[in-house]
Amino acid sequence: MKTEFFPVIGLEIHVQLNTLSKLFCPCSTAYIGTVPNTNICPVCLGLPGTLPVLNGKVVEYSVITALALNCRINRATRFHRKNYFYPDLPKAYQISQYDLPVGEDGYIYIRGEGGDMKRIGIIRLHLEEDAGKLVHSAADGRLAGASASYVDYNRAGVPLAEIVSAPDLSSPSEAKEYVSLLRQLVRYLGVSDGDMEKGSMRVDANISVKCSDGRWGDRSEIKNMNSLRALERALSFEIKRQTAILEEGGTVLQETRHWNDSEGRTISSRSKEEAHDYRYFPEPDLPPLFLPEGFVEEMEQTLPEMPWVRKSRFIRDYSLSETDVAVITESPDLADLFERCVREGASSERSANWIRTEVLRVVNERKTSVGDLPLSSHVLAQLLSMIDSGKLSNTAAKEVFDCIIETGAGVEEALKVCNLQSGGISGSQLVEIIRDILEKNSSVVETIRSGEDGNGKKSKFLQGLVMRETRGQADPEEVRMLLQELIES
Amino acid sequence: MSSHGLSASEIARKVRAREFSVTEIVIDSLERIGSLDGTLNAMITIERDRALERAAKLDSALASGEGPGPMTGVPVIVKDNMCTRGIPTTCASRILSDWKPPYNAAVVEDLEKAGAVILGKSNMDEFAMGSSTEHSAYGPCRNPWDTTRVPGGSSGGSAAAVAAGYVPIALGSDTGGSIRQPASLCGIYGLKPTYGLISRYGLIAFASSLDQIGPFARTVEDLALSLNVLARPDRKDSTCSSSERPDYLDFLKVGSLSGKKVGIVREFRDYDLHEDISRGVEKVLRILQNAGAVIEEVSLPVTMTSGLGAYYIIAPAEASSNLARYDGVRYGLSEEAEDLLSLYLKTRKAGFGTEVKRRILTGTYVLSSGYYDAYYLTAQKVRQIITREFTEAFSRVHTLIMPTSPSPAFRIGELVDDPIHMYMMDVFTLPVNLAGLPGLSVNGGYTSEGLPVGVQMVGPRWGEGEILSMAGVLERELGPARIAPGGLADEN
Ligand SMILES: [Zn+2]
């Protein structure tokens, strides 16, 4: 019988929490794009004599996230010191949580490999502080060949929630599904922007391969996967690598491996022999943290509708397709925009359609977020209602939409700017335009009259010309009737 | 007329009454330092110009009718492990020899706000590790009663400065006895408050769960005045109590101790105490008894057998972590090196002295995986038991009386190569840190050689007032602490 191989994957995800200030000092968490070593103070620089002061908002964010992951909340928790030397770590220890994390024993459901919902265990969610960043001066930005290294401490002390999953994931696509869901979740909760490329969500994977003959290889820890695609590729590579070793009867070493995206492979970086002894001990500068009576319940009250709940509600209440709903519920901003449009009178189908296509198009073109567009749900709903009631064609509405995005104008104003009128072009005004077009295309008219437009292509061509001339403000049905009438007369 | 020898309270009163200008006071102090410190080496940094400039400012503020603070005009000295903006703060270590903090410790802010004038930074054992102020990159400090002897440590510089009359008040820090033991060896008052009474913000950490700042003074009133200035809630130190503090001067109005119970610890009989120290303890007990207190025996069995061992696990463990940041990357000493590891190794090898290295090694060892449970965790359990023993004792008595140090000042060099014997110097003081309690060393007389003998008074948590009351009663009998000759033959 042929041996079968089953990947066993667990993920450790660091989520940067977007509180206003850092975990233990008043410095801002918005360090991206700041001049190196300007977003710092004596505390996050770990200057002698300084002391950490816990940011209460971070505790709220972490409890909210742990609750959303169905964790048990530890009302009594505390911080530990994780000791190791590295230039990006100002105090030479990281303040982290060890034996009493904020949350433990949670779970989340993902769409599993077979299509069924699959429960993924959450072992723990704990708080810790981020480190600074090393900048190497070699041309390729890497350590090898660098002549000097610099440290930027702007990121030091930014709050992180580390979310450790159980080894319940059994394929790269499940891992991707899980990370996407977590990303969506933190965005819904408003606790992080969950951006893997910017490093506000960092994923490390523990992966091993189990054989049907009972053998089980040691796990390797994969780091440096900076996108969902990198995660999928790295895990696929690692499964192949470990499987090949086991197939040949070899042993997989327990080690840390770095994903090299350009080479498409993982590279061993630290063997077990060099494993750190972090000498954890309780942080004496911070008293144990006791969440006050009623605090957890209060946080529970602030939980928004979970993305998966919202998704099934949209499918049920708005009779939309699952694909449509998946797109519009991806971010809470999109989903909110959709619901407000519908509430203000636009049809759900058209709202969903427009958000999927037009709104996301401009978001992508402008590399911005929905919230930053100069577009209120009120304006969008007004525009979509005009299409719904036939006052504006879809094509014309797109032009108006672009104008709104461009200028931030309201619908009425944008209509004027685009030289369009609501209510459309019809009757004698439309007859004028059609006559004009027929005159300019007399040969086509002749062809139709002679009965040689069997498949109706020529008529459609003329119809298109009219629609273009009227910039979509005419009712297509009226155009078709008038064309027929005028050609035949 | 010189202001030399006045207490802080007297100086503040005389400045307020315009009997002295702040500048006169500061010049007198600087002169005293100038004539003695060549011998005593109590100071690492003397900020003469800065102090005179500040004195002039305070004088003109007073002249323009600005209301004085509780310490206006009082010259003070701060131990060199408390951050002073723009002024070197070295911890008596080579590794921080060039370091000027960009910020002030909370206590420095408080002193200045109260009108005090900081004259400089005092000598100490490197990173506050030691009991003799010999482990200093700036050379040993000398005892102003006998300059061949140590002043105690680690706050030996501050103790010597107050004893020799440089200033009426100096700040020290106490992790296992570093205020009380040098106060005892220098014949003055040294108070280690309850853990969390005074902000540690800006105190360069040795062992965070044990460190506490406190004052040295020659009068009880000056201790109370210091607490009034320094004891307050501070949001920058999460281990500092957020409760309001009383007016400590109120506790000095107590005349009788009737109804008060004073405990003596049975287990001290097991120690080989210097005869004059036992006599000092007896004398103090007699005075308290005469004032109406009842003496009762209490027992602290685990404290006295296991306190030292627990302390020398917990303190080095925290120190090994606290001192890891001195790596040559950001500030302080940084040795030329080829790569990262050798930068760490060379910098730390050159920067730290022997005693500091010894404790970093011990601390690293006891926290290592496989040893953590046997050492660190066990020590924490012992610490809890010690805390319980004290709590139990304080359910029966108001204060405890015990020796501060098992011996008076020893000779420079005598114990420097005998760390275990040196650690024994703290055997009566460090349990008080483990339990986070307030402890005060008062002078209980002198040996036949003229060396001061200290007696320790320990109170329950937040029991500073109780201790000050009793110390006030003692002082009325014994008088304020005497000023030491400081190596000058013509005095005393
Ligand atoms: Zn900061």
Coordinates of all heavy atoms in Angstrom, one line a residue, chain A residues 196-222:
Chain A
M196 N -0.7 42.7 5.3 CA 0.5 41.9 5.3 C 1.7 42.5 4.6 O 2.8 42.4 5.0 CB 0.2 40.5 4.6 CG -0.5 39.5 5.5 SD -0.7 37.9 4.7 CE 0.8 37.1 4.9
E197 N 1.4 43.2 3.5 CA 2.5 43.9 2.8 C 3.2 44.9 3.6 O 4.4 45.1 3.5 CB 2.0 44.5 1.4 CG 1.8 43.4 0.3 CD 0.5 42.6 0.5 OE1 -0.3 42.9 1.4 OE2 0.3 41.7 -0.3
K198 N 2.4 45.7 4.4 CA 3.0 46.7 5.2 C 3.6 46.2 6.5 O 4.1 47.0 7.3 CB 1.9 47.8 5.5 CG 1.7 48.8 4.3 CD 1.0 50.0 4.8 CE -0.4 50.1 4.1 NZ -1.4 50.9 4.9
G199 N 3.3 44.9 6.8 CA 3.9 44.3 8.0 C 3.0 44.5 9.2 O 3.3 44.2 10.3
S200 N 1.7 45.0 9.0 CA 0.9 45.2 10.2 C 0.2 43.9 10.5 O -0.5 43.7 11.5 CB -0.2 46.3 10.0 OG -0.7 46.3 8.7
M201 N 0.4 42.8 9.6 CA 0.0 41.5 10.0 C 1.1 40.6 9.5 O 1.4 40.6 8.3 CB -1.4 41.2 9.3 CG -2.0 39.9 9.7 SD -3.7 40.0 9.4 CE -4.0 38.2 9.2
R202 N 1.7 39.9 10.4 CA 2.9 39.1 10.0 C 2.6 37.6 10.4 O 2.2 37.3 11.5 CB 4.2 39.6 10.8 CG 4.4 41.0 10.5 CD 5.8 41.5 10.8 NE 6.1 41.7 12.3 CZ 5.9 42.8 12.9 NH1 5.4 43.9 12.2 NH2 6.1 42.9 14.2
V203 N 2.9 36.7 9.4 CA 2.5 35.3 9.6 C 3.7 34.5 9.6 O 4.5 34.5 8.7 CB 1.5 34.9 8.4 CG1 1.1 33.5 8.6 CG2 0.3 35.8 8.3
D204 N 3.8 33.7 10.7 CA 4.8 32.6 10.7 C 4.1 31.3 10.8 O 3.0 31.2 11.3 CB 5.7 32.7 12.0 CG 6.5 34.0 12.1 OD1 6.8 34.5 11.0 OD2 6.8 34.4 13.2
A205 N 4.7 30.3 10.1 CA 4.0 29.0 10.0 C 4.8 27.9 10.7 O 6.0 27.8 10.5 CB 3.7 28.6 8.6
N206 N 4.1 27.0 11.4 CA 4.7 25.8 11.9 C 4.1 24.6 11.1 O 2.9 24.5 11.0 CB 4.4 25.5 13.4 CG 5.2 26.4 14.3 OD1 6.5 26.4 14.2 ND2 4.6 27.2 15.1
I207 N 5.0 23.9 10.4 CA 4.5 22.9 9.5 C 5.3 21.6 9.6 O 6.5 21.6 9.7 CB 4.5 23.4 8.0 CG1 4.1 22.3 7.1 CG2 5.8 24.1 7.6 CD1 3.7 22.8 5.7
S208 N 4.5 20.5 9.7 CA 5.2 19.2 9.7 C 4.3 18.3 8.8 O 3.2 18.6 8.4 CB 5.2 18.6 11.1 OG 3.9 18.5 11.6
V209 N 4.9 17.1 8.5 CA 4.1 16.2 7.6 C 4.0 14.8 8.3 O 5.0 14.3 8.9 CB 4.9 16.0 6.2 CG1 4.2 14.9 5.5 CG2 4.8 17.3 5.4
K210 N 2.8 14.3 8.3 CA 2.5 13.1 9.0 C 2.3 12.0 8.0 O 1.7 12.3 6.9 CB 1.2 13.3 9.8 CG 0.9 12.4 10.9 CD -0.3 12.9 11.6 CE -1.0 11.8 12.4 NZ -2.2 12.3 13.0
C211 N 2.9 10.8 8.2 CA 2.8 9.7 7.2 C 1.7 8.8 7.6 O 1.5 8.5 8.8 CB 4.1 9.0 7.1 SG 5.5 10.0 6.8
S212 N 1.1 8.1 6.7 CA 0.0 7.1 7.0 C 0.6 5.9 7.7 O -0.1 5.1 8.3 CB -0.7 6.7 5.7 OG 0.2 6.3 4.8
D213 N 2.0 5.7 7.6 CA 2.6 4.6 8.2 C 3.0 4.9 9.7 O 3.7 4.1 10.3 CB 3.8 4.1 7.5 CG 4.9 5.2 7.4 OD1 4.8 6.2 8.1 OD2 5.8 5.0 6.5
G214 N 2.5 6.0 10.2 CA 2.7 6.4 11.6 C 3.9 7.3 11.8 O 4.0 7.9 12.9
R215 N 4.8 7.4 10.8 CA 5.9 8.3 11.0 C 5.4 9.8 11.0 O 4.4 10.1 10.4 CB 7.0 8.2 9.9 CG 7.8 6.9 10.1 CD 8.8 6.8 9.0 NE 8.2 6.8 7.7 CZ 8.8 7.3 6.6 NH1 9.9 7.9 6.6 NH2 8.2 7.2 5.4
W216 N 6.1 10.6 11.8 CA 5.7 12.0 11.8 C 7.0 12.9 11.9 O 7.8 12.8 12.8 CB 4.8 12.3 13.0 CG 4.1 13.6 12.9 CD1 4.4 14.7 12.2 CD2 2.9 14.0 13.7 NE1 3.4 15.7 12.3 CE2 2.5 15.3 13.2 CE3 2.1 13.3 14.6 CZ2 1.4 15.9 13.7 CZ3 1.0 14.0 15.1 CH2 0.6 15.3 14.7
G217 N 7.2 13.7 10.8 CA 8.4 14.5 10.8 C 8.4 15.6 11.8 O 7.3 16.0 12.2
D218 N 9.6 16.1 12.2 CA 9.7 17.3 13.0 C 9.1 18.5 12.3 O 9.1 18.5 11.0 CB 11.1 17.5 13.5 CG 11.3 17.2 15.0 OD1 10.3 17.3 15.7 OD2 12.3 16.7 15.4
R219 N 8.7 19.5 13.0 CA 8.2 20.6 12.3 C 9.2 21.7 12.0 O 10.2 21.8 12.7 CB 7.1 21.3 13.2 CG 7.6 21.9 14.5 CD 6.5 22.3 15.4 NE 7.0 22.5 16.7 CZ 7.5 23.7 17.2 NH1 7.5 24.7 16.4 NH2 7.9 23.8 18.4
S220 N 9.0 22.4 11.0 CA 9.9 23.6 10.7 C 9.0 24.8 10.9 O 7.8 24.8 10.7 CB 10.6 23.5 9.4 OG 9.6 23.2 8.4
E221 N 9.7 25.9 11.3 CA 9.0 27.2 11.4 C 9.4 28.0 10.2 O 10.6 28.3 10.0 CB 9.4 27.8 12.7 CG 8.6 29.0 13.1 CD 9.0 29.7 14.4 OE1 9.9 29.2 15.0 OE2 8.4 30.8 14.7
I222 N 8.4 28.5 9.5 CA 8.6 29.2 8.3 C 8.4 30.7 8.6 O 7.3 31.1 9.1 CB 7.8 28.8 7.1 CG1 7.7 27.3 7.0 CG2 8.3 29.4 5.8 CD1 9.0 26.6 6.7

